[in-house]
Amino acid sequence: MFLNMFSKLSMVSDCFTFAYILKLYNMASIQTTSFDTIHEIYQQPEMWRQTYQILLDKEKEISEFMTSYYNEETTIILTGAGTSSFIGNILEFVMPKYGFYSVKSVPTTDITTHPEAIFNKNKKYILVSFARSGNSPESLAAVNIADSICHNNIAHIIITCNENGKLVKEYAEDNRLILILPPETNDKGLAMTSSFSSMLLVSMLLFDVKKIVNKKEGIDNLYKKGEYLISTYSDQIKKIAALDFERAVFLGTGELKGIAEECHLKLQELTDGKVVCLFDSFLGLRHGPKAAINEKTLLVYLFSNDDKVFQYERDLVAQTNQQVKPIAQIYVSQKKRSTGNVVLDEESALKEMKATSDDNYIYIYLVLEESKVFPIDIFINADNNSSTGGNTWLWDPCGAEFLLEGFISANLEDVTVFNFPADAAQDDWAWTEVLGPGSGIIKMSSPKTINGDIVAIEMYIIKEMIPATLAPEIGIGIFSSDENWSDNGVLPNTATGDPAPLMTLKLQ
């Protein structure tokens, strides 16, 4: 349950990267914050690891606090201002899965002005305050007002990125649980990035603290996924960011609506309002907001992992495209999604891969989007041992000894073969040329059209020209690049976006 839910943070990382890159194109007026922001985007996976350790160290304190102040009669109120309040909007849909049903998300700005609509002095509450700096006037007011109404019927959980904030320094009392995140999460940039995702992680760990010891592997996988998304998709998002769009609409269902809310604010902030942004649920968009979509609109779909929910989302995508053609549409999902006849932007240029062999050749069948693929790189783990050879973020494990690189437009006649030195560190990019262009090691058929720009090609590699003794089983992986050498496809891959292992091929 935990991994399925929190992997949504991968989507946040992806959209933050998008927002930052777009800022580089459009925001000369706030360039002084750009280096802080990009650093804070890229530091997120490491901050998640450190945040987990903080919660792990406080497991006993958290458990004792919840035992003392929470029971079935307690209402949990999630509060913050701006981005911090969006965390509560996400958690409203997540916490019932952990057994917490009496949960409300209320911004500090509403508590400050209308507390009587929120608190009943005769009921019990835990007020969870999300506060990056811990100095916001509304954050301080929300705690004071809640105490003045509820007295002994309220306890507080304060989640902050600033150990020197007023919420920490002036509000440390017996009925407080204070959780301070790594100091690096106290973002210096214009927009909250690592602070948002780390405070969200804290909350999801906090309310499932009894199982926190078992989540180490999940956090490690989350770290890898965050690194993979940021390194893999930046160039593709950069191309989208370069388009001349004036509006952006982010859509999500359930907890993903809260993430869409955060994404829309990030992009609007980082473009200084030059791009007008909206967010909604897929079904909610039908009821009026869809009127904002025109030919200058970027649509970002955060697709649900629930197949039943996705049926509604796909219907909205189809309906929207019948009425207007946005300038670009991209989707973020834990699994590959088909949107019928609607072709979305920046989908992988590589579609399908098969391999077989005989005594003389290794045969590869590849389906790809011809106009998007320029060079392809074929990685071969010749000894079927992932502890030797070179590694890459594209596959896990990898351990490739050979890399064949050439252009589809040249029918791969220009392929260069590289070997990974046995004495090189596996994570270094230490490839050394061993066969130059024109060696004839690989042959390619003419592309056969499958549908529109989608074509199939067949290749065969001459086994005896590979300068190594091949193991009975080898590993193969292929990735493609566009004309600017930006990655745009990788096979094999996984439905979740995590790096897959290389394809295993049993040789004849």
Side-chain angles (χ1 to χ4, degrees):
M1 175 70 71
F2 168 80
L3 283 180
N4 287 339
M5 295 307 304
F6 192 67
S7 58
K8 303 299 189 301
L9 269 178
S10 302
M11 302 181 182
V12 180
S13 300
D14 203 7
C15 290
F16 280 168
T17 305
F18 169 86
Y20 173 72
I21 294 169
L22 191 140
K23 183 185 74 169
L24 290 184
Y25 277 84
N26 294 317
M27 274 308 298
S29 63
I30 58 168
Q31 283 183 351
T32 55
T33 69
S34 61
F35 289 107
D36 287 329
T37 304
I38 189 62
H39 174 72
E40 288 154 4
I41 291 168
Y42 275 68
Q43 76 177 0
Q44 287 180 102
E46 177 57 31
M47 292 304 100
W48 301 340
R49 276 183 168 174
Q50 293 184 26
T51 295
Y52 169 74
Q53 189 60 49
I54 289 171
L55 267 286
L56 189 63
D57 294 342
K58 286 182 168 285
E59 176 189 4
K60 182 180 178 182
E61 181 183 351
I62 294 168
S63 296
E64 291 176 351
F65 178 89
M66 293 300 291
T67 299
S68 298
Y69 294 105
Y70 178 80
N71 58 43
E72 292 184 355
E73 296 179 356
T74 306
T75 297
I76 297 175
I77 295 181
L78 309 165
T79 193
T83 285
S84 296
S85 73
F86 304 159
I87 298 172
N89 297 343
I90 297 167
L91 291 173
E92 272 192 312
F93 288 90
V94 175
M95 288 179 62
K97 297 177 173 65
Y98 299 149
F100 296 92
Y101 290 92
S102 186
V103 179
K104 294 170 62 177
S105 178
V106 184
T108 55
T109 48
D110 290 346
I111 292 177
T112 300
T113 58
H114 291 77
E116 68 284 349
I118 299 157
F119 297 109
N120 180 333
K121 66 180 181 179
N122 297 315
K123 292 186 178 295
K124 293 194 172 194
Y125 299 93
I126 293 178
L127 183 66
V128 183
S129 297
F130 301 103
R132 178 188 60 80
S133 70
N135 292 319
S136 163
E138 293 89 354
S139 294
L140 303 176
V143 172
N144 288 329
I145 292 170
D147 281 343
S148 69
I149 295 174
C150 302
H151 302 290
N152 293 330
N153 280 335
I154 193 164
H156 296 268
I157 298 175
I158 295 171
I159 299 174
T160 182
C161 307
N162 181 14
E163 65 180 357
N164 296 313
K166 291 183 179 179
L167 277 180
V168 174
K169 295 294 187 182
E170 300 177 12
Y171 292 80
E173 300 179 19
D174 291 341
N175 66 339
R176 265 65 161 169
L177 172 65
I178 298 177
L179 301 174
I180 303 171
L181 276 62
E184 295 90 342
T185 64
N186 190 8
D187 297 321
K188 298 177 182 177
L190 172 72
M192 290 173 61
T193 51
S194 66
S195 55
F196 168 79
S197 61
S198 297
M199 286 195 288
L200 176 57
L201 173 57
V202 161
S203 310
M204 299 181 76
L205 293 170
L206 164 67
F207 290 108
D208 200 23
V209 72
K210 292 181 180 179
K211 299 178 182 177
I212 192 169
V213 174
N214 301 324
K215 292 172 181 172
K216 174 65 165 61
E217 182 179 357
I219 293 295
D220 289 342
N221 289 336
L222 181 66
Y223 171 89
K224 292 177 182 178
K225 190 167 186 177
E227 291 283 313
Y228 173 80
L229 282 169
I230 290 173
S231 63
T232 301
Y233 292 107
S234 291
D235 287 336
Q236 295 182 42
I237 297 171
K238 185 175 180 179
K239 290 190 293 184
I240 292 287
L243 297 174
D244 183 26
F245 59 91
E246 298 172 353
R247 305 177 184 181
V249 177
F250 294 85
L251 299 176
T253 304
E255 67 274 6
L256 293 182
K257 181 184 176 184
I259 291 180
E261 184 176 19
E262 168 62 0
C263 292
H264 106 281
L265 179 62
K266 285 287 94 67
L267 185 54
Q268 191 156 274
E269 282 183 316
L270 294 175
T271 60
D272 201 26
K274 292 179 182 178
V275 177
V276 177
C277 300
L278 302 174
F279 80 95
D280 211 322
S281 67
F282 283 81
L283 292 181
L285 188 74
R286 298 175 190 252
H287 299 278
K290 190 167 61 173
I293 300 174
N294 61 18
E295 292 78 7
K296 289 281 192 176
T297 302
L298 168 69
L299 276 175
V300 180
Y301 305 116
L302 307 182
F303 283 145
S304 173
N305 197 41
D306 186 314
D307 291 338
K308 183 178 180 180
V309 173
F310 176 65
Q311 298 303 316
Y312 294 105
E313 297 172 343
R314 184 170 60 183
D315 288 348
L316 184 280
V317 173
Q319 184 184 83
T320 299
N321 279 266
Q322 289 171 359
Q323 298 169 345
V324 65
K325 180 60 178 174
I327 193 170
Q329 302 174 82
I330 60 176
Y331 82 87
V332 187
S333 178
Q334 289 180 259
K335 60 173 71 173
K336 291 184 181 298
R337 288 303 196 183
S338 171
T339 50
N341 295 326
V342 179
V343 178
L344 303 183
D345 297 88
E346 298 310 318
E347 293 184 299
S348 175
L350 299 184
K351 309 299 181 182
E352 182 183 359
M353 168 188 171
K354 297 178 182 178
T356 187
S357 72
D358 61 20
D359 291 341
N360 300 312
Y361 303 106
I362 297 169
Y363 300 95
I364 299 174
Y365 171 84
L366 187 64
V367 179
L368 53 89
E369 194 166 353
E370 189 174 22
S371 66
K372 291 186 177 181
V373 176
F374 286 78
I376 65 168
D377 291 65
I378 304 172
F379 287 75
I380 299 177
N381 182 342
D383 61 3
N384 198 33
N385 182 355
S386 61
S387 66
T388 63
N391 286 333
T392 169
W393 69 91
L394 299 165
W395 301 281
D396 184 18
C398 182
E401 280 77 30
F402 293 97
L403 163 60
L404 286 66
E405 184 174 83
F407 279 78
I408 293 292
S409 59
N411 293 325
L412 298 181
E413 293 176 2
D414 63 337
V415 157
T416 301
V417 180
F418 301 89
N419 173 245
F420 195 87
D423 59 352
Q426 279 196 284
D427 292 332
D428 289 347
W429 192 261
W431 296 96
T432 301
E433 182 177 326
V434 292
L435 285 176
S439 67
I441 188 174
I442 189 169
K443 302 292 183 183
M444 185 188 107
S445 69
S446 298
K448 181 180 179 181
T449 300
I450 295 177
N451 181 23
D453 196 36
I454 307 299
V455 301
I457 60 173
E458 296 178 358
M459 301 171 275
Y460 64 89
I461 300 170
I462 301 174
K463 290 164 64 174
E464 67 178 15
M465 291 190 68
I466 298 175
T469 300
L470 300 177
E473 289 186 350
I474 64 173
I476 298 179
I478 299 178
F479 87 90
S480 62
S481 304
D482 63 17
E483 59 187 327
N484 297 313
W485 290 86
S486 296
D487 302 351
N488 62 8
V490 57
L491 291 173
N493 54 29
T494 65
T496 63
D498 295 310
L502 294 172
M503 174 185 286
T504 299
L505 174 62
K506 186 174 182 178
L507 298 180
Q508 299 295 321

